[in-house]
Amino acid sequence: MKRYFYNIFGLISLLLFLNCGTKTPPTALTSNNLKLTPKQLGETITSDELKEHLYIYASDEFEGRETGTEGQKKAVNYLKSNYEKLGISGALDDESYFQKVPLKYLKSSSAALSLNNETYIEYKDYALINGVPSQSFNVSEIVDLGYGIESKNYSDYKNIDIKDKVVLIKSGEPKNQNGNYKVNNSKEVSVWGSPSGFNEKFNLAIKKGAKIVLLNDDKILPRYAAYLKRKSQSEGSMVLATSKINVPKFLITKSLYNKIKSDGNFKLEIENQSIKVDSENVAAFIKGSTAPNEVIVISAHLDHEGVKDGKVYNGADDDGSGTVAILEIAEAFKTALKNGQRPKRSVLFLHVTGEEKGLLGSQYYTDFDPLFPIENTVANLNIDMIGRTDPKRDGDRNYIYLIGSDRLSTELHNLSENVNKNFTNITLDYTYNALTDPNRFYERSDHYNFAKYDVPVIFYFNGTHDDYHQPSDTPDKIQYDLLENRTRLVFYTAWEIANRDKRLVVDKPTLK
């Protein structure tokens, strides 16, 4: 990395550093205990080193890094070796780097639902949207939860216990007699009525102990049904294999919703054939000084699409760009550490598997095996595609889409804005942050699994392009000057969160 220090000791040390080829910080700065500024630390993140990493990580040698394949093993070992070179230990109890993520590949999966001897059509009338063990149900009692909402101003859960029960939920959110939504008491839709609201409703019902959840959403069902049908007829799908996942989640049509609601009796048969898949998250860790139990998670997904029809899907932007960005951010933190500047809070550098298969690695981390308690996780900065530009976007190329920064914490949003103003001067574009965004990007990358636990998040994203999920997403198309500046923005934001006096306040929790 290039390092610029504005004192005579730093200049002399830098020359020695360049001559000897070492990666350690200038010794004069260390020995004289001269404090490095955030700007100096950020400037150790360079386009040259990002490019060097990415041409390796997104090369054909890594075979598209599909989850559970030999190419993915090469990827995780590359990450491990780089953290070892940096001298940053693994985050597991024995300081190893690999968090095993139990997965299974569903070769075939089907769900048959009938009501009063009438059989309904899978992928048309309903769709099972998660992988669960083979099982059968004869349902004679169902709890109608209405909208399935629980908030400060409105709740469908008052005096209702749904533990071990089948629940029925409808889409949308209620309005009062003035035409305002009851949750927000305004004309503005809340998260419950947004395109991502169905996920919030599923999560809450499962958290409260539901045995099966059937949710009507006629807008979302066709998208999921088409995707799941295509998967079942071609390559199959991958799911978490932990025994703790056993709650079937169904999207259903309004017509089927009404019939189940009026009758309450139906039969359900779920069958699948599966193969065990071996995969892992990669986690490296720097312990904080004065608040070590408070943890910032910087995440990116390490996987991509693999090899299809003999073509390697290199995934340089998706998400090679985020992966190499974390390596450079980690090195900047290590540079500070070598200079005696340990962050106040701990920092977890988390590379998750199975994002392309349904955010599986991050879901396993948050739902089943957090290496550090979720309640002690102060923020998640998630980096997924930051090396290109969106051809549909008007304006200059020096931008980044930010998603989620203001959803849970006003402090995080304001901090992010101030950091950018002070250091990077990137245009922060919030186009995809709207609750009504039909693309639902807020729930389509790994930050979402943290956000559902009310961990403040920022999702850094450059938008899609013609090479998205194509074999043409190659490292020669990355705009490395943009990648450099965007990576620095994430570092400066993480550095500020790590060293502020108090942890971020969550003033807009989702479920309250």
Side-chain angles (χ1 to χ4, degrees), residues 99-103 129-132 199 203 206 238-242 244-247 249 281 299 301 350-355 357-371 374 380 443 445-453:
Q99 178 189 38
K100 295 294 183 181
V101 178
L103 299 171
I129 67 171
N130 61 330
V132 294
N199 261 327
N203 292 338
I206 292 171
M238 196 174 290
V239 297
L240 286 174
T242 174
K244 296 179 182 178
I245 294 183
N246 55 11
V247 180
K249 299 191 298 185
N281 295 331
S299 62
H301 69 90
L350 182 64
H351 303 262
V352 292
T353 189
E355 191 270 355
K357 307 299 184 182
L359 315 185
L360 300 180
S362 58
Q363 183 188 358
Y364 181 73
Y365 180 95
T366 60
D367 292 10
F368 303 106
D369 188 23
L371 300 178
I374 294 297
N380 169 227
E443 63 186 78
S445 191
D446 295 295
H447 61 282
Y448 180 73
N449 282 316
F450 289 90
K452 69 188 184 186
Y453 288 102

Side-chain angles (χ1 to χ4, degrees), residues 362-462:
S362 58
Q363 183 188 358
Y364 181 73
Y365 180 95
T366 60
D367 292 10
F368 303 106
D369 188 23
L371 300 178
F372 304 94
I374 294 297
E375 60 268 24
N376 292 348
T377 304
V378 301
N380 169 227
L381 305 180
N382 183 50
I383 316 169
D384 192 352
M385 299 175 60
I386 62 167
R388 298 279 296 273
T389 56
D390 182 350
K392 299 185 293 294
R393 182 185 179 276
D394 293 327
D396 68 272
R397 60 191 286 273
N398 184 36
Y399 78 96
I400 191 71
Y401 293 122
L402 291 196
I403 302 172
S405 64
D406 64 347
R407 293 282 185 99
L408 296 164
S409 172
T410 303
E411 280 190 349
L412 176 59
H413 179 74
N414 292 339
L415 180 151
S416 169
E417 287 276 339
N418 289 333
V419 164
N420 180 57
K421 181 179 179 181
N422 292 334
F423 294 105
T424 46
N425 292 312
I426 298 172
T427 298
L428 303 182
D429 190 327
Y430 297 99
T431 297
Y432 295 124
N433 189 52
L435 284 174
T436 54
D437 172 37
N439 297 284
R440 301 175 14 255
F441 286 127
Y442 180 68
E443 63 186 78
R444 287 173 56 185
S445 191
D446 295 295
H447 61 282
Y448 180 73
N449 282 316
F450 289 90
K452 69 188 184 186
Y453 288 102
D454 288 335
V455 174
V457 301
I458 302 178
F459 171 23
Y460 299 88
F461 177 53
N462 54 220

Side-chain angles (χ1 to χ4, degrees), residues 243-262:
S243 60
K244 296 179 182 178
I245 294 183
N246 55 11
V247 180
K249 299 191 298 185
F250 283 88
L251 287 170
I252 62 176
T253 62
K254 184 65 174 292
S255 175
L256 182 55
Y257 168 89
N258 288 331
K259 290 180 180 179
I260 293 174
K261 182 179 178 179
S262 62

Side-chain angles (χ1 to χ4, degrees), residues 100-120:
K100 295 294 183 181
V101 178
L103 299 171
K104 60 183 177 181
Y105 173 73
L106 300 181
K107 295 174 60 179
S108 63
S109 180
S110 64
L113 191 153
S114 61
L115 178 66
N116 291 329
N117 296 319
E118 180 179 357
T119 300
Y120 291 84

Side-chain angles (χ1 to χ4, degrees), residues 314-372:
N314 301 99
D317 193 24
D318 183 17
D319 186 27
S321 60
T323 301
V324 301
I326 291 185
L327 290 177
E328 288 291 279
I329 291 168
E331 187 166 358
F333 270 97
K334 184 63 177 182
T335 300
L337 188 61
K338 288 183 177 181
N339 199 54
Q341 295 170 244
R342 184 177 292 275
K344 292 179 181 179
R345 292 175 180 81
S346 298
V347 183
L348 176 65
F349 307 100
L350 182 64
H351 303 262
V352 292
T353 189
E355 191 270 355
E356 301 290 2
K357 307 299 184 182
L359 315 185
L360 300 180
S362 58
Q363 183 188 358
Y364 181 73
Y365 180 95
T366 60
D367 292 10
F368 303 106
D369 188 23
L371 300 178
F372 304 94

Side-chain angles (χ1 to χ4, degrees), residues 52-59 62 65 74-76 78-79 301-303 314-315 319-320 323-324 351:
E52 181 181 350
H53 278 305
L54 193 52
Y55 264 83
I56 297 172
Y57 195 76
S59 67
F62 285 68
R65 309 185 303 276
K74 292 178 181 179
V76 298
Y78 180 81
L79 297 172
H301 69 90
L302 61 88
D303 62 309
N314 301 99
D319 186 27
T323 301
V324 301
H351 303 262

